[in-house]
Each structure stands twice: as C-alpha cells, then as structure tokens.
Amino acid sequence: AAIGSAITGLRPVVEIMFAVFAAVAYDQIINQAAKMRYMSGGQISVPITIRMANGAGMSFGAQHSQSCEGWFMSVPGLKVAAPGTPADALGLLKTAVRDPNPVIFLEHKALYSDRAEIPDGEYLVPFGKAAICREGRHVTLVAIQRMVQMALKAADLLAQEGIECEVIDLRTLAPLDVAAVQQSVCKTTRLITVEEAPAAGGWGGVVISQIMDEAIWCLDAPVLRVTMGEGIVPFSPPLERALIPDEQQIMAAVRQLGIKR
C-alpha cells in the first residue's frame, strides 16, 4: 500500500514495530521499493520512509532485539539512517521524508526515552555526513546509535589514563561517510569500530575494508572491531547485558593497540 501510494505522488511513512519483522516484507522492500526508480529509468520515484525499532537492550528476546542495519545497507537503491540523538532523529527523519528514494529509518529502542534540546525551525541533517562527537589524537572510535554512548563513556574513562579517543557517529550507513573516518584515522593512526550486531555482515567490515583501501599507510596498529560476535540476543537481562558491547570492552580493545602517551 505504501509503495503504491508513493509512486502515485504521496510520501508515506511506514512504521514496522521491530526491525526484525521487516523480514516479512523483505521482498517488497528490496525487489520493489529499492529497484523501481532504476527499472523505470527514473520515471518512477518511491519516496517512502520505513521506520523500524532496531537493536537490543530492552529484554524483548531474540525475535525482537536484532540489529538489522546490515540487511539493508547492502541493497542498492535503499538509504539507511541510524540516528543516535534526539536532534539527529528529528533532522534525519525530515530529510528522509523529503528524499525521493526509499529510506530505512532505524530507531534504537533503548534510546526512545532519551531527552535533549533540539533546534528550532526547519532543521535538517544531511545524509552521508558523519558527526565528530569528541575529538582526540590517539585512536578513532566509530559507532552508531547506542554504541556512540558506550564509546563516549569509554573515551571519558580512557582520558583519565591519558588516552584521547576521537568518537565518530556515522548517522547514516547508506550513504556512508568514509571520508570523515579516513580523515580521523590519518590523524589518530588507529581505528576501532563498535557495533551492536553480530560480526558477520556488519557495517564495521565495510568501513574497515575502505580504510584499508584508501588509508592503510596511515595506520600504526591493527584495526579492531568490537561486536556481539556470533551471539543471539537472549531474553535474560543479565545475559543480554553480557552480550552487548559496553565501555569496558571498548577500553579493552583500545588497550590492545599499545598506545604510547
């Protein structure tokens, strides 16, 4: 219904309660919405925004807690937004609704209760523009959504040890602002990606592969990924907390790099 209304001139906003439930509509998303503009030679646009609750941390169990960004960022024709702050949720959503292409808009369910000041007026956040949340000179930490908060916590604690972390929030995964990561890595010479998702098929691998292609000579240490490994998110709150990457895991990864202060 949303795809049909989009190609006839409307700009529908669809809400799928949990991102994993998009599997039921996956064929329509990747074979219809994502491909119609290309297959029609630009005659048909599909300006549809699909909002989904993504991620873990709320003890909703395995079928409601997966981080699904990797499903969508690999599909040409889709844009993928992943806001991590109230202001970015506002600015990216408004940009998504105005975009002529289908946009997957991932909202982390553990961030729904966050409160913060947002800009007045017509506030838009451009796609493909990462945000530097904290500047540093020893290591670059790249994350999205809730993991940005974990990276910032780790950076605060590591600062007490004299280690300065630069924290980057990608904000969108398609398009992906690899240029911002490359610029940071050429300053810090070290890179760690932090993902609340299994390692296989994660966006961190995409970022790292491009950095290895474009900026390998800037690196002074191996690139590391902090992920869930191969874990399925459990219902038990203690087990879920043990699975989700936190500031202690990020700090441990940073210490592996042998930074000389």
Side-chain angles (χ1 to χ4, degrees):
I3 292 170
S5 64
I7 65 177
T8 55
L10 300 179
R11 291 181 176 270
V13 178
V14 178
E15 191 239 353
I16 297 178
M17 183 180 292
F18 295 101
V20 289
F21 293 176
V24 180
Y26 202 50
D27 177 63
Q28 294 177 48
I29 294 171
I30 67 169
N31 278 326
Q32 304 302 325
K35 294 180 172 65
M36 281 188 176
R37 189 171 187 178
Y38 170 79
M39 294 178 67
S40 67
Q43 297 180 78
I44 297 175
S45 292
V46 188
I48 179 175
T49 300
I50 307 176
R51 297 176 51 208
M52 306 180 190
N54 196 48
M58 301 298 290
S59 298
F60 287 161
Q63 294 174 329
H64 303 74
S65 303
Q66 189 167 337
S67 294
C68 301
E69 57 268 14
W71 292 6
F72 302 106
M73 67 176 294
S74 64
V75 179
L78 293 180
K79 295 186 177 181
V80 182
T85 67
D88 283 350
L90 169 67
L92 289 171
L93 183 59
K94 294 178 75 171
T95 300
V97 172
R98 287 159 174 74
D99 199 287
N101 302 288
V103 177
I104 304 298
F105 195 84
L106 299 172
E107 304 168 0
H108 199 291
K109 58 180 71 72
L111 299 181
Y112 277 134
S113 61
D114 280 11
R115 298 290 184 268
E117 294 292 327
I118 59 174
D120 293 327
E122 181 70 349
Y123 177 67
L124 301 173
V125 174
F127 286 177
K129 183 66 174 177
I132 298 178
C133 302
R134 180 188 180 115
E135 293 189 356
R137 62 190 179 94
H138 289 131
V139 58
T140 300
L141 305 178
V142 183
I144 61 169
Q145 299 195 308
R146 192 183 181 202
M147 291 299 102
V148 175
Q149 296 183 356
M150 297 297 181
L152 288 170
K153 289 179 181 178
D156 286 340
L157 294 170
L158 288 166
Q160 300 173 23
E161 304 175 15
I163 298 175
E164 300 177 17
C165 302
E166 184 146 293
V167 179
I168 295 179
D169 180 354
L170 291 174
R171 301 200 290 190
T172 63
L173 297 172
L176 188 63
D177 189 2
V178 177
V181 179
Q182 179 177 339
Q183 184 176 4
S184 176
V185 167
C186 286
K187 176 177 67 172
T188 67
T189 72
R190 295 169 177 85
L191 172 63
I192 297 175
T193 61
V194 186
E195 304 163 70
E196 187 190 307
W203 58 261
V206 178
V207 170
I208 290 169
S209 68
Q210 294 193 41
I211 293 299
M212 297 301 285
D213 286 343
E214 303 293 336
I216 188 171
W217 304 114
C218 292
L219 294 167
D220 285 342
V223 177
L224 300 179
R225 292 177 67 193
V226 177
T227 71
M228 282 187 175
E230 298 180 1
I232 294 176
V233 180
F235 175 78
S236 162
L239 292 178
E240 184 182 40
R241 286 194 296 271
L243 181 66
I244 298 172
D246 60 14
E247 64 270 24
Q248 296 300 322
Q249 289 176 258
I250 298 170
M251 292 170 67
V254 170
R255 293 187 181 112
Q256 289 184 45
L257 300 179
I259 296 172
K260 297 180 179 178
R261 299 179 287 281

